[in-house]
Amino acid sequence: MRKPIIAGNWKLHNTSSQGVALVQELGKLTADAKKVDIVVCPTFTTLTAVANALHGTNIHLGAQNLHWEKKGAFTGEVTAEMLRDVCCEYVLVGHSERRQYFAETDETVNKKVKAALEGNLVPIVCVGESLEEREAGTTEVLVGKQVKAALEDLTKDQVASLVIAYEPIWAIGTGRTATADQANEVCAFIRRTVAEVFGQDTADKTRIQYGGSVKADNIAELMGKSDIDGALVGGASLDAVGFSKIVKF
């Protein structure tokens, strides 16, 4: 019922020419990958060139961030309209690096989710706990709070249309990976949280990804779990061959 979605977050990597070369190779390697939605999220300066290179492929374009206002004195920001103008369909919201380094809060994440939806973008809403929070046994308290805050005041249809990415902070770029059972346990909890607020039918429609040191050698086990509907991939998405293997799990 839920089509898997594999998204690559390039973070602060790749010039326009490097990004074009990457997606040109990726497009060829994934031309026969029909069972999943494939998304790449380049840097802002690379979006237009990558969008042009994606024509004729089955790869969708996403951005890594947006601002909740439609215009104004917000130096360095971009709007949903600007992202749509360069052919973006998806946008990451609330990534742990944005929360950690750029002071994003549950409140601003909610504003960005609403702005993305209003601007006809699919938000990939990131939630996840730190190592300290996991070891303290507060994963569900923290993640549940983030999910409810991010989705506050949304309609059932809006929630069903977006993507939630569970990214345990302790597994991002560290080489440590949550076991498939650990990842599924939290993804299932996220689905129960959505059901609690918006009903089981909405929860059954909402796609929930896992992200955190996802690689070709662990994607199949992750995707075999009941509540994992895809992956948000960091470093491994910068290699076309490796990322294509993840997409073709």
Side-chain angles (χ1 to χ4, degrees):
M1 179 170 57
R2 298 184 297 268
K3 186 176 183 180
I5 176 170
I6 307 290
N9 175 16
W10 293 3
K11 306 189 181 186
L12 191 58
H13 296 282
N14 290 332
T15 63
S16 292
S17 60
Q18 290 168 337
V20 166
L22 174 55
V23 296
Q24 285 176 336
E25 183 179 6
L26 182 64
K28 295 174 184 176
L29 293 169
T30 60
D32 59 345
K34 307 297 184 183
K35 65 179 180 180
V36 302
D37 286 331
I38 310 167
V39 183
V40 293
C41 299
T43 58
F44 290 139
T45 58
T46 311
L47 287 172
T48 298
V50 170
N52 291 334
L54 290 178
H55 285 311
T57 73
N58 59 346
I59 302 170
H60 303 273
L61 185 65
Q64 296 179 18
N65 187 32
L66 84 165
H67 197 269
W68 58 85
E69 294 290 353
K70 294 181 178 179
K71 62 178 64 176
F74 303 103
T75 301
E77 297 292 335
V78 299
T79 68
E81 181 182 22
M82 293 171 184
L83 296 178
R84 287 294 308 183
D85 189 53
V86 293
C87 301
C88 283
E89 298 174 71
Y90 293 82
V91 62
L92 300 179
V93 178
H95 192 280
S96 63
E97 291 158 6
R98 298 294 313 175
R99 295 176 190 257
Q100 180 178 357
Y101 301 124
F102 302 101
E104 292 206 6
T105 65
D106 288 343
E107 180 183 7
T108 60
V109 168
N110 179 245
K111 289 181 179 180
K112 291 184 177 189
V113 170
K114 292 174 180 175
L117 291 165
E118 186 177 348
N120 295 314
L121 293 168
V122 177
I124 299 176
V125 187
C126 302
V127 299
E129 83 283 15
S130 68
L131 181 60
E132 292 76 18
E133 288 160 339
R134 171 163 280 273
E135 291 179 340
T138 59
T139 293
E140 291 191 357
V141 173
L142 186 282
V143 172
K145 176 176 177 290
Q146 288 179 333
V147 170
K148 289 179 180 179
L151 307 184
E152 187 175 356
D153 297 326
L154 300 187
T155 67
K156 292 182 178 181
D157 287 343
Q158 286 176 319
V159 174
S161 73
L162 54 74
V163 179
I164 299 174
Y166 167 55
E167 288 203 306
I169 299 169
W170 49 272
I172 300 175
T174 63
R176 297 183 58 171
T177 309
T179 67
D181 286 338
Q182 286 175 323
N184 191 62
E185 180 181 326
V186 181
C187 288
F189 167 74
I190 290 171
R191 199 174 307 283
R192 292 197 301 272
T193 302
V194 174
E196 176 187 331
V197 181
F198 298 96
Q200 190 63 51
D201 183 60
T202 300
D204 288 340
K205 294 175 182 176
T206 304
R207 293 187 289 182
I208 303 174
Q209 298 175 308
Y210 168 72
S213 297
V214 175
K215 297 179 175 62
D217 60 4
N218 62 18
I219 183 64
E221 185 181 10
L222 289 165
M223 292 303 300
K225 296 300 180 179
S226 60
D227 286 280
I228 298 177
D229 305 316
L232 181 56
V233 184
S237 71
L238 300 173
D239 173 69
V241 174
F243 190 50
S244 70
K245 291 178 180 178
I246 293 173
V247 167
K248 294 180 176 183
F249 65 90

